[in-house]
Amino acid sequence: MKGLKYLFALIAMFAMASTANAQIRFGVKGGVSVSTVKFDKDIFNSDNVTGFHVGPSLEAMFAKGGLGFDVAVLYSQIGFDSDVRAVKNDYLEVPVNLKFKFGTPMFNPYLSAGPYIAFRVAGDKTWDMNVAGIKEQLKAQSFGAGLNFSVGADVFDFLQLGVTYTLGLTDDYKTFVSEDSNDNNGKSRIWKISAAIYF
């Protein structure tokens, strides 16, 4: 977690220092999320579940060169499916990414990467998971953090299409047989297909 905090601080300093000389655009971003959870122990199968993400976005690029950053506030639905039941929660997610573009205004590919934080805002907090005759409790955590890695392109300078892989670094779920025996943790793994319109 310390490394993630330092990365957020570095990007924030970079953003504050660069906005005076940057081309800033505001827009709306949305798309489809395909998520699952990687647990420490394979007590039950974790399969993909489909959700969505949507929210405002800001992009700032240097006037010279292809380096910049973007930040968004996304309402995001993620979770996982299993043999027992599907689990979904809604999060308010804030990604901050360094971005590099190369190409022409008509078609401008980009690569980006950076940290995110997420706060659970809706959905059940606990579930009963009956596995192999054992009644497990599954608990969703209220806070999550991790890293995003994206590739995409600007099309006609106003439409941005991209694919993002999100690697959760904190435990988003815990399973336990009793309240005092947290013995299995799960981290989110998410693929996102997004479209953003900038003004």
Side-chain angles (χ1 to χ4, degrees):
M1 285 298 293
K2 280 188 176 180
L4 204 58
K5 290 178 182 177
Y6 291 140
L7 187 56
F8 258 116
L10 181 64
I11 293 176
M13 286 188 295
F14 172 80
M16 287 186 291
S18 64
T19 49
N21 300 316
Q23 178 185 358
I24 299 174
R25 304 192 298 172
F26 296 92
V28 178
K29 184 176 187 177
V32 176
S33 302
V34 179
S35 60
T36 188
V37 174
K38 176 64 176 175
F39 285 96
D40 296 337
K41 303 174 186 176
D42 294 327
I43 295 178
F44 47 82
N45 293 327
S46 176
D47 297 320
N48 294 332
V49 69
T50 302
F52 66 89
H53 57 276
V54 64
S57 178
L58 177 148
E59 181 188 77
M61 303 299 296
F62 286 142
K64 295 181 179 179
L67 192 63
F69 69 93
D70 65 40
V71 61
V73 179
L74 302 176
Y75 192 92
S76 183
Q77 184 184 69
I78 62 172
F80 68 97
D81 201 359
S82 73
D83 298 335
V84 182
R85 64 176 60 197
V87 172
K88 282 188 179 182
N89 276 300
D90 296 347
Y91 291 83
L92 199 60
E93 181 183 338
V94 182
V96 181
N97 299 305
L98 289 176
K99 179 177 280 186
F100 178 70
K101 291 185 178 181
F102 49 97
T104 67
M106 292 290 290
F107 184 76
N108 200 0
Y110 72 85
L111 299 171
S112 67
Y116 76 89
I117 56 174
F119 303 91
R120 188 175 61 84
V121 294
D124 293 334
K125 188 175 180 65
T126 59
W127 296 264
D128 290 331
M129 309 289 284
N130 292 304
V131 183
I134 300 173
K135 189 173 183 180
E136 293 270 346
Q137 295 287 319
L138 176 70
K139 181 179 180 181
Q141 303 301 295
S142 298
F143 172 81
L147 295 172
N148 290 315
F149 304 92
S150 301
V151 60
D154 287 357
V155 183
F156 302 118
D157 200 35
F158 71 91
L159 176 63
Q160 192 170 95
L161 305 175
V163 177
T164 301
Y165 179 69
T166 297
L167 178 68
L169 298 180
T170 58
D171 295 326
D172 295 312
Y173 297 92
K174 291 180 180 286
T175 66
F176 50 87
V177 179
S178 61
E179 287 288 347
D180 58 352
S181 62
N182 292 339
D183 59 0
N184 193 15
N185 301 321
K187 296 176 174 62
S188 294
R189 302 287 186 263
I190 309 165
W191 284 98
K192 296 178 180 175
I193 301 173
S194 305
I197 298 176
Y198 285 101
F199 308 102

